[in-house]
């Protein structure tokens, strides 16, 4: 008995030791995970600080270069203006100088001639004196050109406003800020078939956003590209490949400002859900290259256009967006169904729920009392379903109930859809009697 008790005690001690070892391993893993988190945080701070330094140095070097260029251009313009004023002001003075110099030359000649007449021979003196006197009278020795006074000619000077330096100094000292955190951050990624619903939020209480700007890129090597600019705080990014990482970032523009805020911390998102596609080949409908947009064409052929596969699963949101409208008809339909059934011209049939373009809601072919607004161009119709099981359910059949919510134009109807078989996934479909209707599914 004593040996058995010792063995049992040893087993308990071994069990406690193993549990302590496992707890220590788990504790170490958690600490190592936190160390990795600290390393990433430190790396983000250092890399963002280095990038910010580079941006600041580049920006201010560009400013200095631009400012020097502008100052040089202004200096050149002012110097040219000085040259023009100088040349235009000197020109009349040059003309006046030529006139005076010509008068001085004439006076010199007259002086020489007069002195010669006075000092000449007596026999020729009277004739020379007579000729000199006539010439002097003709020259009009009392007529002098007018020389402008100094107050009447330009006296150039430069007028430089010293307040420019004060203005520049004040503007420069206020130019630029360093933010430790961007005012907006990415908040949530919601997987959608062939897309991701991206949500973001404001994290700076003192910041009043006017617009947001969302960018994304495939992987981390390609350049970012704009995918949304507007005032909403969420956006559905479509046409994404499943099981591929995409990087997202968002920024904002403050109220009354022109420049954008710093970018949020980039985050990776992906969708594992394959995109919804319409079935190709139905004569009455033309499809986009990605087969997520269907256009009712002019063909007289009429029928239901189904999805390529049952890609809608309960718990997801199925969205139809009406891009363009045609003539409505009460037999039009947008909805989901258990299976594809050819030969029908509408989803207003058994094993299907749908909404008509006039807003009427049909469950298994029967119209409900509650009705939604009529769909228009730009309308969005969503289907949400959750499972509510009734009775036994097996592959052979059984009661199966889905709680369905159909929303359109800020209105919704909620009802239970009872089926006689389990449905892990559903088809979606549409039908339009007249051409012009274009619908996007996601």
């Amino acid at each position: 008995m004593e040996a058995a008790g010792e063995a049992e005690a040893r087993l308990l001690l071994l069990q406690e030791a193993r549990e302590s070892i496992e707890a220590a391993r788990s504790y170490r893993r958690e600490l190592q995970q936190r160390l990795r988190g600290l390393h990433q945080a430190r790396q983000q701070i250092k890399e963002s600080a280095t990038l910010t330094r580079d941006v600041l140095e580049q920006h201010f070097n560009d400013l200095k270069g631009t400012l020097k260029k502008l100052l040089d251009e202004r200096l050149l313009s002012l110097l040219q203006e000085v040259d023009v004023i100088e040349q235009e002001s000197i020109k009349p003075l040059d003309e006046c100088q030529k006139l005076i110099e010509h008068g001085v030359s004439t006076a010199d000649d007259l002086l020489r001639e007069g002195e010669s007449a006075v000092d000449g021979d007596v026999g020729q003196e009277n004739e020379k004196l007579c000729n000199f006197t006539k010439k002097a009278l003709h020259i009009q020795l009392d007529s002098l050109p007018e020389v402008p006074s100094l107050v009447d000619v330009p006296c150039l000077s430069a007028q430089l406003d010293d307040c420019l330096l004060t203005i520049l100094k004040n503007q420069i000292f206020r130019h630029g800020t360093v933010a430790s955190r961007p005012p907006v951050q990415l908040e949530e990624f919601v997987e959608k078939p062939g897309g991701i619903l991206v949500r973001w939020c404001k994290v700076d209480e003192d910041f009043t956003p006017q617009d947001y700007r969302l960018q994304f890129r495939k992987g981390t090597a390609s350049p970012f590209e704009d995918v949304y600019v507007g005032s909403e705080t969420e956006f559905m990014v479509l046409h994404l490949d499943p099981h591929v990482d995409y990087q997202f970032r968002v920024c904002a523009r403050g109220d009354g400002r022109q420049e954008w805020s710093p970018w949020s911390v980039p985050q990776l998102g992906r969708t594992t859900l394959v995109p919804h596609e319409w079935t190709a080949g139905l004569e009455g409908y033309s499809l986009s290259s990605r087969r997520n947009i269907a256009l009712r064409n002019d063909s007289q052929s009429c029928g239901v256009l189904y999805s390529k596969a049952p890609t809608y699963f309960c718990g997801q949101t199925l969205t139809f967006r009406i891009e363009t409208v045609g003539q409505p008809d009460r037999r039009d339909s947008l909805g989901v169904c258990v299976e594809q059934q050819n030969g029908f011209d509408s989803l207003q049939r058994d094993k299907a729920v749908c909404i008509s373009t006039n807003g009427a809601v049909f469950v298994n072919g029967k119209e409900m009392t509650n009705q939604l607004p009529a769909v228009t161009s730009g309308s969005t119709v969503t289907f949400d379903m959750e499972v509510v099981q009734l009775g036994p359910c097996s592959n052979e059949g059984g009661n199966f109930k889905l709680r369905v919510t159909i929303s359109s134009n800020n209105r919704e109807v909620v009802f239970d859809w009872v089926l006689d078989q389990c449905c892990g996934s559903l088809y979606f479909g549409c039908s339009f009697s007249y051409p012009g209707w274009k619908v996007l599914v996601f």
Side-chain angles (χ1 to χ4, degrees):
M1 291 293 294
E2 185 176 350
E6 291 180 355
E8 184 176 353
R10 176 174 173 76
L11 287 174
L12 288 174
L13 289 173
L14 285 173
Q15 180 65 26
E16 290 179 359
R18 291 191 183 98
E19 290 176 356
S20 297
I21 291 172
E22 183 58 34
R25 285 174 178 164
S26 176
Y27 182 62
R28 184 179 63 181
R29 284 195 300 269
E30 290 294 331
L31 289 177
Q32 289 173 340
Q33 180 67 26
R34 280 161 173 75
L35 280 175
R36 285 191 290 270
L38 282 174
H39 173 72
Q40 291 174 349
R42 186 187 304 274
Q43 185 178 17
Q44 176 173 300
I45 293 172
K46 287 185 172 295
E47 289 180 354
S48 63
T50 299
L51 178 61
T52 301
R53 289 189 192 97
D54 293 341
V55 169
L56 286 171
E57 290 175 357
Q58 182 64 47
H59 177 73
F60 276 86
N61 284 333
D62 291 344
L63 275 182
K64 285 190 285 187
T66 303
L67 186 58
K68 184 180 183 305
K69 180 182 177 182
L70 291 174
L71 288 173
D72 289 342
E73 290 177 353
R74 181 56 180 162
L75 174 60
L76 179 60
S77 175
L78 291 172
L79 291 176
Q80 290 174 344
E81 190 173 343
V82 170
D83 293 340
V84 170
I85 295 175
E86 181 185 25
Q87 292 170 7
E88 291 180 350
S89 301
I90 290 293
K91 184 177 180 181
L93 298 183
D94 289 341
E95 293 175 352
C96 185
Q97 181 176 341
K98 290 179 181 178
L99 183 60
I100 293 174
E101 288 176 348
H102 177 70
V104 170
S105 176
T106 302
D108 287 340
D109 293 342
L110 189 62
L111 281 171
R112 285 192 295 271
E113 188 175 342
E115 291 173 351
S116 174
V118 171
D119 298 335
D121 297 336
V122 178
Q124 298 178 345
E125 182 176 348
N126 290 336
E127 184 180 355
K128 287 184 178 181
L129 287 173
C130 183
N131 291 335
F132 170 75
T133 302
K134 290 180 180 179
K135 188 174 184 179
L137 290 173
H138 180 72
I139 294 177
Q140 297 180 346
L141 296 175
D142 59 344
S143 176
L144 295 173
E146 185 178 354
V147 176
S149 63
L150 295 182
V151 297
D152 294 328
V153 296
C155 181
L156 280 70
S157 63
Q159 297 183 8
L160 302 172
D161 193 348
D162 292 337
C163 72
L164 175 62
L165 290 177
T166 303
I167 295 172
L168 285 176
K169 182 178 178 181
N170 292 335
Q171 290 293 328
I172 289 172
F173 283 167
R174 290 198 302 265
H175 181 66
T177 58
V178 176
S180 60
R181 292 177 179 83
V184 291
Q185 290 284 11
L186 294 168
E187 183 179 31
E188 184 182 15
F189 297 115
V190 181
E191 284 188 86
K192 296 292 182 179
I196 299 175
L197 177 61
V198 184
R199 293 192 174 104
W200 54 89
C201 62
K202 184 183 74 167
V203 294
D204 185 351
E205 294 300 326
D206 298 327
F207 183 78
T208 304
Q210 175 180 311
D211 291 307
Y212 298 98
R213 180 182 179 189
L214 178 67
Q215 290 189 337
F216 85 116
R217 65 180 177 182
K218 194 173 185 177
T220 57
S222 57
F224 279 99
E225 58 182 275
D226 288 340
V227 68
Y228 172 76
V229 175
S231 59
E232 300 296 327
T233 56
E234 66 177 35
F235 182 74
M236 174 71 72
V237 184
L238 296 174
H239 311 316
L240 302 182
D241 297 325
H243 305 287
V244 174
D245 285 335
Y246 291 86
Q247 195 172 44
F248 297 85
R249 66 182 186 180
V250 67
C251 67
R253 181 162 49 199
D255 190 20
R257 305 295 294 270
Q258 294 297 320
E259 73 278 3
W260 292 100
S261 73
W263 290 104
S264 66
V265 177
Q267 294 187 36
L268 292 176
R270 64 160 50 192
T271 179
T272 59
L273 307 176
V274 297
H276 292 317
E277 293 184 12
W278 298 104
T279 299
L282 188 62
E283 186 178 349
Y285 295 88
S286 303
L287 305 184
S288 64
S289 59
R290 288 182 176 267
R291 298 181 180 177
N292 60 343
I293 300 177
L295 171 66
R296 179 68 168 92
N297 56 36
D298 295 331
S299 173
Q300 296 300 317
S301 176
C302 190
V304 178
L305 176 65
Y306 292 103
S307 58
K308 181 181 178 181
T311 52
Y312 174 67
F313 295 88
C314 294
Q316 298 178 0
T317 298
L318 178 68
T319 304
F320 298 99
R321 189 169 71 208
I322 307 300
E323 303 292 313
T324 60
V325 298
Q327 181 180 334
D329 186 88
R330 63 176 305 275
R331 292 293 293 167
D332 295 339
S333 60
L334 284 167
V336 297
C337 57
V338 175
E339 58 191 7
Q340 295 180 348
Q341 291 185 11
N342 297 323
F344 289 90
D345 62 354
S346 175
L347 284 174
Q348 299 172 20
R349 60 168 176 79
D350 189 35
K351 296 184 180 182
V353 294
C354 66
I355 176 177
S356 179
T357 52
N358 63 7
V361 178
F362 293 84
V363 182
N364 292 331
K366 297 180 179 179
E367 184 174 355
M368 292 184 61
T369 304
N370 293 335
Q371 185 168 328
L372 292 169
V375 297
T376 57
S377 180
S379 292
T380 298
V381 180
T382 61
F383 287 76
D384 291 274
M385 299 188 185
E386 58 179 330
V387 177
V388 183
Q389 186 171 312
L390 285 179
C393 182
S394 65
N395 293 332
E396 287 75 22
N399 289 331
F400 192 69
K401 183 165 69 173
L402 298 176
R403 183 149 297 157
V404 182
T405 302
I406 306 178
S407 302
S408 177
N409 293 327
N410 298 318
R411 293 270 304 279
E412 66 178 31
V413 294
V414 181
F415 56 90
D416 290 337
W417 182 23
V418 180
L419 300 169
D420 59 2
Q421 65 187 73
C422 295
C423 296
S425 59
L426 297 166
Y427 290 88
F428 57 86
C430 70
S431 66
F432 301 102
S433 300
Y434 297 98
W437 292 92
K438 182 192 287 187
V439 58
L440 165 67
V441 62
F442 58 90

